[in-house]
Amino acid sequence: MADYIMNNVWQVWAIAAVICLILELSSGDFFIICFSIGAVASAIGAAIGLNIYWQLAIFAAVALASIFFVRPIALRYLHKNEPNRPSNADALIGRIGRVTETIKTGGSGRVAIDGDVWKAVSNSATDITAGSTVKVTDRKSTIIQVESTTSINE
C-alpha cells in the first residue's frame, strides 16, 4: 500500500485538491481554493517525477501566491467587496415572487421564487390571490413574510 502511494503521489494531491474544492463550497471566501490550486500544482510536479520535498515546496509557494494574487481578484469580481453578503434564505428579502397558493388573511399560502416554493404569510388585511406578485419583506426560519406589490405601487 505504501509503495502504491509513493508511486502515485499525484493521486493524493488530486484528492486533496478535490477535498479543498468541496470545503470551499461551504465557506465561499476563496481561501481554501488557494490550497486546492497549490495541490493541483503539486500533483503536476508529482506526475513529472519531482520528489516529495519539491512537491511540498511547490504546494506552499503556489498556495501562498494564490492567497495574495488570485484571492483578491476573485473577491473583487465575484463578491463585489460587499461586507455583508446575504446568503441562502436571507438573500430572498427584497425579491419578487408569484403567489402559487392564495395567502389567506391571518393564515398562510405559498410563493414561488426562482423555482422554489416557500410558505408565506402576510400582514395584509385582505387575501392575496394566486397569480399575484409579492415582495418578500422578512423571513422567520423557512416562512417568508410578503406584501402585495400592488400595495407598494399605490
Side-chain angles (χ1 to χ4, degrees):
M1 181 72 175
D3 287 338
Y4 177 79
I5 292 173
M6 292 309 293
N7 291 330
N8 296 293
V9 177
W10 68 271
Q11 292 176 345
V12 176
W13 286 113
I15 291 169
V18 170
I19 289 171
C20 287
L21 285 175
I22 292 169
L23 291 173
E24 178 61 43
L25 291 174
S26 67
S27 72
D29 287 332
F30 300 108
F31 185 75
I32 301 172
I33 199 167
C34 296
F35 296 111
S36 181
I37 294 169
V40 168
S42 292
I44 293 169
I48 63 173
L50 297 177
N51 67 28
I52 192 70
Y53 299 112
W54 277 106
Q55 293 170 35
L56 290 171
I58 290 170
F59 173 76
V62 172
L64 191 64
S66 295
I67 289 171
F68 289 112
F69 298 111
V70 174
R71 184 172 184 262
I73 293 169
L75 287 173
R76 187 175 324 120
Y77 289 109
L78 297 174
H79 286 304
K80 311 257 188 290
N81 288 332
E82 297 170 358
N84 296 320
R85 296 181 315 264
S87 63
N88 301 332
D90 290 332
L92 290 173
I93 297 173
R95 302 284 306 272
I96 302 295
R98 182 162 305 279
V99 178
T100 59
E101 179 184 306
T102 300
I103 303 171
K104 302 280 186 191
T105 304
S108 65
R110 302 276 176 192
V111 174
I113 301 172
D114 293 336
D116 293 326
V117 178
W118 295 84
K119 184 175 182 179
V121 296
S122 174
N123 289 337
S124 176
T126 60
D127 293 350
I128 302 176
T129 58
S132 302
T133 57
V134 291
K135 181 178 181 179
V136 179
T137 58
D138 197 12
R139 170 186 78 79
K140 300 271 193 269
S141 184
T142 58
I143 301 172
I144 58 174
Q145 184 171 347
V146 298
E147 62 183 22
S148 177
T149 55
T150 56
S151 65
I152 295 171
N153 295 330
E154 293 177 355

